[in-house]
Amino acid sequence: MMAEALAALGVKVALLDIHAEKAEAREAAITERGGVARFFPCDVLRPAELQTCFEEIAALWEPPDILINGAGGNDPRGSTSREFLEPGDVGTPDVKTFFDLDYEGFRSVFDLNFLGTFLATRAFARGMLHRGRGAVLNISSMSALTPLTQVAAYSAAKAAVSNFTRWLAVHFAHTGIRVNAIAPGFLLTEQLKFLHIDPHTGELTARARKVLAHTPMGRYGTPEELLGTVIWLLSDAAAFVTGVVVPIDGGFSSYTI
Ligand SMILES: NC(=O)c1ccc[n+]([C@@H]2O[C@H](COP(=O)([O-])OP(=O)(O)OC[C@H]3O[C@@H](n4cnc5c(N)ncnc54)[C@H](O)[C@@H]3O)[C@@H](O)[C@H]2O)c1
């Protein structure tokens, strides 16, 4: 979605993804509409692959002056099955408590969301440094502000992404490279469905109803509703904006009771 919007504005888009299928479809869709896009297979957790991609893109076009760190997401292995731990839960079949969170699951969520952002930025910001300009956009989450229940690893990782965004914005402040993030609220995408749609009934879960009740606008957002902020943060319209994490959340993060 972001790639297509940027391509429509004339940006040449390199699509780095570990999975070819969706990225190739996106590449084809952009090309069909007259845009310029190219898929580069890449695991953002492998520095050597990131470096190769950077060199290939620089040789094909020029070193990028925009980086969106979009690889990320949640995994049930880093989440508990209930909001609160009750006495007696530990050891109960089908109840996944804090004590059942497995090391690999927790680490994979943390690594993908946080280390993937760090490593990709390290690989691509060097080219921006030489150009004396650049804009990095990280993807944080509502869970970075006040952690959402159950999603322990995801919350920790996204809090790290927000913190790192602000740290790096300061560190790069004299270089011409700006670093910002968006914190999307609840968009009913594939990654959200496992907690929001009951797989047996197809109905909204109790958690989903709670989220909607806590969203002043009373609905899920759509991926399209991120685009205005994304384009603003990446463009010269935000030339004096660095180190911000912009909530796009229908009011979720401002609402208590
Ligand atoms: N969907 C939401 O409601 C929501 C809300 C807040 C934040 N976000 C964040 O937005 C970002 C994008 O989410 P999405 O909903 O578009 O998810 P998505 O699964 O559609 O996109 C993530 C992409 O990352 C790729 N990827 C996974 N592991 C990778 C790796 N090691 N190296 C390279 N690529 C890898 C996947 O193949 C996929 O194409 C994520 O950081 C997510 O946490 C989503």
Side-chain angles (χ1 to χ4, degrees):
M1 184 69 61
M2 293 181 198
E4 284 170 31
L6 289 169
L9 293 172
V11 175
K12 295 188 183 101
V13 181
L15 299 155
L16 278 63
D17 205 304
I18 199 170
H19 297 122
E21 204 178 318
K22 267 198 323 192
E24 281 176 347
R26 191 125 292 164
E27 177 194 79
I30 291 172
T31 310
E32 234 167 65
R33 288 189 198 124
V36 179
R38 179 76 70 87
F39 163 56
F40 294 84
C42 184
D43 180 345
V44 293
L45 295 176
R46 293 180 186 264
E49 288 184 22
L50 283 163
Q51 184 58 29
T52 303
C53 287
F54 172 74
E55 285 165 15
E56 286 176 8
I57 297 162
L60 180 67
W61 297 320
E62 57 187 339
D65 59 358
I66 287 176
L67 171 67
I68 300 179
N69 283 311
N74 200 4
D75 183 317
R77 292 179 303 160
S79 307
T80 60
S81 60
R82 291 184 175 170
E83 290 192 341
F84 303 106
L85 180 71
E86 303 297 346
D89 279 354
V90 176
T92 304
D94 298 332
V95 178
K96 192 164 145 214
T97 74
F98 170 72
F99 301 99
D100 301 312
L101 291 177
D102 74 88
Y103 172 80
E104 281 307 329
F106 203 98
R107 198 175 78 168
S108 72
V109 174
F110 198 84
D111 286 0
L112 175 60
N113 288 280
F114 178 63
L115 285 184
T117 296
F118 159 67
L119 292 170
T121 307
R122 198 182 60 175
F124 281 78
R126 197 184 294 276
M128 298 180 192
L129 189 65
H130 290 136
R131 293 180 68 165
R133 56 171 283 122
V136 177
L137 185 72
N138 297 329
I139 316 292
S140 186
S141 158
M142 282 301 104
S143 222
L145 299 163
T146 302
L148 301 170
T149 56
Q150 296 180 250
V151 292
Y154 186 72
S155 301
K158 291 299 190 185
V161 168
S162 287
N163 188 285
F164 175 64
T165 299
R166 299 173 72 207
W167 182 88
L168 195 62
V170 171
H171 192 62
F172 279 175
H174 298 175
T175 67
I177 306 171
R178 297 181 298 102
V179 187
N180 293 296
I182 55 170
F186 294 83
L187 319 178
L188 201 51
T189 53
E190 285 308 315
Q191 74 156 279
L192 208 73
K193 283 186 183 163
F194 85 96
L195 284 172
H196 283 238
I197 304 286
D198 185 314
H200 306 297
T201 63
E203 303 279 311
L204 290 178
T205 59
R207 184 182 181 87
R209 288 197 297 276
K210 249 167 101 172
V211 163
L212 292 177
H214 193 88
T215 302
M217 289 192 181
R219 63 172 176 85
Y220 290 105
T222 65
E224 290 82 356
E225 288 172 316
L226 305 179
L227 297 178
T229 308
V230 167
I231 291 164
W232 166 61
L233 287 173
L234 293 174
S235 73
D236 287 343
F240 198 49
V241 180
T242 196
V244 302
V245 181
V246 181
I248 308 171
D249 65 350
F252 182 90
S253 57
S254 297
Y255 185 50
T256 59
I257 51 167

